[in-house]
Amino acid sequence: MQVTETLNEGLKRAYTITVTAAELDAKVQEKLVEAQPEVEMKGFRKGKVPMAMLRKQFGTRLMGDAMQDAIDGAMKSHFAASGDRPALQPEVRMVGGETWAEGQDVVVEMTYEALPLIPEFDAGKVVLERLVVKAEAAAVDEALANLAGSAQSFEDGKKGSKAKNGDQVVIDFAGTVDGKPFEGGSAEDFPLVLGSGSFIPGFEDQLIGARAGDAISVNVTFPESYGARHLAGKAAVFACTVKAVKNPKPAVIDDELARKYGAESLEALKVQIAERLEAEYLGAARAVMKRALLDQLDALVKFDLPASLVTAEASQIAHQLWHEEHPEVHGHDHGTVEPTDEHKSLAERRVRLGLLLAEMGRKAEITVTDAEMTRAVLAQARQYPGQERAFFEFVQKNPQMQQQLRAPIFEDKVVDHIVAAASVTEKAATKEELQKAVEALDDI
């Protein structure tokens, strides 16, 4: 077997791999010997079928297996000897292709882009600032008011009062499209809070000013992006009967409200709220600091990038942003989306940082534990109530999904590793200053 280099230009590599006919024949013979003890054939006892008959019966099929094994082995040996790590799966093409015949040497051409050598990097050169925000009394009071608002009840309004935003109307309704009822388009005694955005746009607005006993025809159009495709974009009429108009009654902020949320007292609830707010501030401050770290890494560490990775990433970015701009399109039969220079620049940054963090994590022997993966799967499974087991089984059978869950955990652990060695100072900040810093972050 012979491996000959034909291209070594930047990160691009090309080789021809020659497997001689004799080597292939030896591989086939090896497989026949391995299989012989288990083969049964009419006229022969199990394991006693002559080799010549085995070769005649199975030789052609085993030749393909032997060819694949030989090429895979040559590639594995090449990467072990050269130290190259391909950026993407190498392209392997059989030279001669359909003209090859048994008894001839097999020649394949292997091309790939090698991952670049990542230069050594001193994390001590990184200078970072961590924003520290305390939960002020005003923020705790605001959160308490929101809790009281979500725990509000409703009481009957004055007789003949008109419904306004924030009021609850109890209605019967029956919807039709093109004069025909549709599934899920009717209900009785439905409590609807006006201004809540619970129904499709325009529905709630037409009930403002209604009184108990009124019969109102609500004319709306389902959004183009509506989940039920047979209703998307369709005009509908809902015959509504208003049975009651109720005014909101905010919950009293006291120990009883606290107990509704699992706290022993109002003071205990305030402590819990402050802890939750500070945990949220800590997460937001970490996001701001992580962005600053990535900006510095992008500026400090430079190396050649595999064009194939950049092209693939730019295409993915362009495709994702196109769908964000066209939410009404759910499929992928929309033609090619050409990446712009901005997409390519962002792709270069992502690829550079991804390779750098991966290499730093590899050198630091950072891994994602089974316990961390389990927590990640549990967190995702909560988005599918009642289908948690099915989601677990899906993840177990889907390596790509496992990688999607593992990648952010690995990245965060590498970031923590770098931050631990960096020069970090803390700066007291207000909630507004932190919010402004978060808003300044763009997608990277």
Side-chain angles (χ1 to χ4, degrees), residues 35-144:
Q36 188 181 33
E38 302 300 322
V39 175
E40 293 183 75
M41 193 176 289
K42 189 175 181 180
F44 298 93
R45 285 180 295 150
K46 181 178 180 180
K48 298 300 182 179
V49 180
M51 194 62 66
M53 293 190 69
L54 287 177
R55 180 178 285 272
K56 183 178 180 180
Q57 182 78 12
F58 304 110
T60 301
R61 178 173 62 82
L62 291 179
M63 180 65 74
D65 295 342
M67 191 182 300
Q68 188 64 56
D69 287 354
I71 293 169
D72 289 346
M75 291 171 59
K76 184 176 180 180
S77 298
H78 162 72
F79 290 125
S82 67
D84 276 357
R85 289 181 293 155
L88 294 174
Q89 183 69 24
E91 292 184 17
V92 179
R93 181 182 65 86
M94 190 169 174
V95 177
E98 298 177 359
T99 63
W100 180 84
E102 188 173 342
Q104 295 179 341
D105 294 348
V106 174
V107 182
V108 298
E109 183 179 61
M110 175 177 66
T111 59
Y112 62 90
E113 279 191 292
L115 288 176
L117 291 175
I118 310 296
E120 292 292 332
F121 172 71
D122 181 8
K125 293 181 179 179
V126 175
V127 179
L128 298 170
E129 183 178 76
R130 180 187 288 115
L131 299 179
V132 179
V133 181
K134 297 296 182 184
E136 299 175 350
V140 174
D141 289 344
E142 181 182 352
L144 269 174

Side-chain angles (χ1 to χ4, degrees), residues 87-284:
L88 294 174
Q89 183 69 24
E91 292 184 17
V92 179
R93 181 182 65 86
M94 190 169 174
V95 177
E98 298 177 359
T99 63
W100 180 84
E102 188 173 342
Q104 295 179 341
D105 294 348
V106 174
V107 182
V108 298
E109 183 179 61
M110 175 177 66
T111 59
Y112 62 90
E113 279 191 292
L115 288 176
L117 291 175
I118 310 296
E120 292 292 332
F121 172 71
D122 181 8
K125 293 181 179 179
V126 175
V127 179
L128 298 170
E129 183 178 76
R130 180 187 288 115
L131 299 179
V132 179
V133 181
K134 297 296 182 184
E136 299 175 350
V140 174
D141 289 344
E142 181 182 352
L144 269 174
N146 290 335
L147 285 178
S150 63
Q152 70 181 357
S153 57
F154 291 88
E155 57 185 7
D156 289 332
K158 293 181 180 179
K159 188 175 181 179
S161 63
K162 294 182 178 181
K164 58 186 181 300
N165 264 333
D167 286 346
Q168 182 189 79
V169 292
V170 179
I171 58 174
D172 294 343
F173 63 86
T176 57
V177 171
D178 297 329
K180 297 179 180 179
F182 56 90
E183 185 178 355
S186 62
E188 294 181 354
D189 296 322
F190 189 93
L192 174 63
V193 178
L194 300 183
S196 65
S198 303
F199 279 20
I200 59 177
F203 191 106
E204 295 168 25
D205 293 342
Q206 296 178 55
L207 294 176
I208 293 176
R211 294 185 174 91
D214 285 354
I216 299 173
S217 288
V218 173
N219 294 272
V220 291
T221 300
F222 285 97
E224 293 290 343
S225 58
Y226 194 67
R229 298 305 301 272
H230 66 289
L231 296 176
K234 295 288 184 69
V237 179
F238 288 85
C240 300
T241 300
V242 181
K243 303 176 82 170
V245 175
K246 299 185 176 185
N247 304 134
K249 180 182 179 183
V252 178
I253 299 176
D254 56 10
D255 289 342
E256 183 179 349
L257 175 67
R259 284 189 285 273
K260 285 184 180 179
Y261 287 97
E264 294 181 356
S265 64
L266 180 58
E267 287 306 311
L269 179 59
K270 288 182 177 180
V271 171
Q272 290 180 11
I273 291 173
E275 290 174 349
R276 177 178 58 80
L277 288 174
E278 290 188 359
E280 292 176 0
Y281 298 156
L282 186 63

